[in-house]
Amino acid sequence: MKLKIDERRCKGCNLCTTVCPYNIFQEGRKLNERGGIMIPPILDRPERCTNCRLRKLYGRQLCGACQMICPDQAIYWVEEDPYSEESVVIEF
Amino acid sequence: MTTRVFEKWYREDRLPHIFCTGCGNGTVMNCAIKAVDTMQWEIDDTVFVSGIGCSSRAPGYISTDSLHTTHGRALAFATGVKMANPDLNVVVFTGDGDVSAIGGNHFIHACRRNIDLTVICMNNMIYGMTGGQGSPCTPVGMISTTTPPYGGAAEPVFDLAELAVAAGGANHVARWTSYHTKELTKPLRPVLPTKGSRLSRRWCSARPHSAGETSSAR
């Protein structure tokens, strides 16, 4: 799994930066693709995300605090191809 | 495959919603939908009813049948929905200006009658949509556009949770902030299947929606 932020929805409230236990979300600097006032957060080593690493192993949603607190429903995970270049390295 | 948050419950074409940056309404929507989804309620059997206000725009983003009704009368309409078809699951989204001020009478009698519905009050302690007027839930001393500039709101705060208890009949009353997403989802879970009316009151960090305000939240 891979952590993603939908930049079309994110309004840059940075609530996700307050809840992530790994501090994956960091306050962003760059404007979103629309060029508006919304500054989406940047992801700091998102491969540390619990849900990314262990969702398959446990077979259910783990943690998910960022997704629940996101008022704009902008945070989601995507399934990725096991041999793609940006594959998540599983660490235990 | 993507794991968006409860994709089937949201109207994708309506998002992003109009709530301000960092407003807790979206979080409360997430939690309510998660609770409803955990209960395995069907989209066709669920009705979200709302009155007027920022919080009451929430059903517009949810793909179930919904009613966006007159100011404060969401509970009256919800009672009607429940009377017409008692098999429907009715959830009322409402704000503090809706349920404590203009709809106060509907609220206490909905509690007293013990109708089988759930009320989710998103209390931001102010009338946010219309420009920050003081509501009955504005804390003492807080400044709004209709409270005195020196000293702030003078009247004591309306405690909706206590009111629901005092009105009798409400089977479950809970109060959390929009930061407590786990706890917000939990109380609904044992509560939703019990018959009778429920008030779930959430402190919500929605900020006043005043014109020209563009700075980031918090």
Side-chain angles (χ1 to χ4, degrees):
Chain A
M1 307 295 282
K2 195 172 168 223
L3 190 61
K4 291 273 225 186
I5 298 175
D6 189 341
E7 295 203 357
R8 289 169 305 143
R9 288 191 190 171
C10 176
K11 292 180 188 145
C13 65
N14 286 321
L15 281 176
C16 47
T17 62
T18 64
V19 294
C20 181
Y22 291 94
N23 284 328
I24 287 171
F25 299 91
Q26 303 286 336
E27 289 194 24
R29 294 274 179 275
K30 221 172 95 228
L31 298 178
N32 67 358
E33 58 185 20
R34 287 176 172 179
I37 53 162
M38 315 305 184
I39 303 177
I42 47 174
L43 299 176
D44 173 26
R45 287 167 288 156
E47 63 273 11
R48 293 178 296 154
C49 169
T50 320
N51 197 40
C52 293
R53 288 186 284 121
L54 303 173
R55 189 191 176 99
K56 286 251 173 69
L57 188 67
Y58 284 80
R60 63 181 171 87
Q61 167 91 42
L62 295 161
C63 184
C66 52
Q67 195 183 39
M68 286 306 289
I69 200 122
C70 179
D72 301 303
Q73 295 85 36
I75 297 171
Y76 63 106
W77 289 273
V78 286
E79 198 81 48
E80 54 185 348
D81 183 28
Y83 297 107
S84 70
E85 286 178 7
E86 46 189 16
S87 172
V88 172
V89 180
I90 294 182
E91 49 179 6
F92 293 102
Chain B
M1 187 202 106
T2 59
T3 52
R4 288 214 180 254
V5 56
F6 320 119
E7 200 165 5
K8 66 170 185 173
W9 289 92
Y10 279 111
R11 295 184 191 176
E12 292 283 315
D13 54 328
R14 293 300 180 99
L15 295 171
H17 46 56
I18 63 148
F19 303 141
C20 295
T21 307
C23 174
N25 285 0
T27 310
V28 175
M29 262 165 73
N30 280 348
C31 297
I33 286 177
K34 185 175 186 182
V36 165
D37 196 57
T38 316
M39 291 307 307
Q40 298 176 336
W41 285 2
E42 295 297 324
I43 286 181
D44 293 338
D45 300 337
T46 311
V47 180
F48 286 93
V49 186
S50 69
I52 297 292
C54 277
S55 59
S56 301
R57 292 190 68 97
Y61 304 111
I62 299 173
S63 55
T64 63
D65 290 334
S66 57
L67 276 172
H68 195 182
T69 69
T70 48
H71 194 14
R73 271 78 202 182
L75 277 161
F77 282 87
T79 309
V81 170
K82 197 71 193 175
M83 293 286 280
N85 187 355
D87 295 332
L88 291 175
N89 304 307
V90 184
V91 180
V92 179
F93 280 120
T94 182
D96 60 319
D98 217 26
V99 83
S100 72
I102 192 165
N105 209 9
H106 295 290
F107 175 62
I108 53 174
H109 290 289
C111 286
R112 180 180 63 83
R113 288 185 186 126
N114 204 359
I115 313 152
D116 182 26
L117 49 85
T118 305
V119 182
I120 297 169
C121 174
M122 306 180 198
N123 180 4
N124 61 351
M125 309 175 204
I126 205 165
Y127 287 93
M129 183 178 266
T130 51
Q133 290 88 357
S135 85
C137 292
T138 304
V140 178
M142 292 292 147
I143 311 270
S144 70
T145 54
T146 54
T147 48
Y150 302 104
E155 299 94 0
V157 182
F158 213 162
D159 193 333
L160 286 175
E162 290 295 324
L163 180 70
V165 172
N171 289 2
H172 176 92
V173 183
R175 180 199 294 158
W176 291 102
T177 74
S178 62
Y179 185 77
H180 297 98
T181 52
K182 297 263 177 193
E183 292 87 346
L184 263 177
T185 314
K186 256 184 198 162
L188 274 179
R189 222 178 277 165
V191 166
L192 287 176
T194 38
K195 286 277 174 195
S197 69
R198 282 84 54 163
L199 168 74
S200 201
R201 180 204 187 194
R202 284 101 200 273
W203 290 105
C204 171
S205 64
R207 57 204 263 277
H209 191 99
S210 59
E213 200 171 13
T214 53
S215 59
S216 73
R218 291 192 301 148

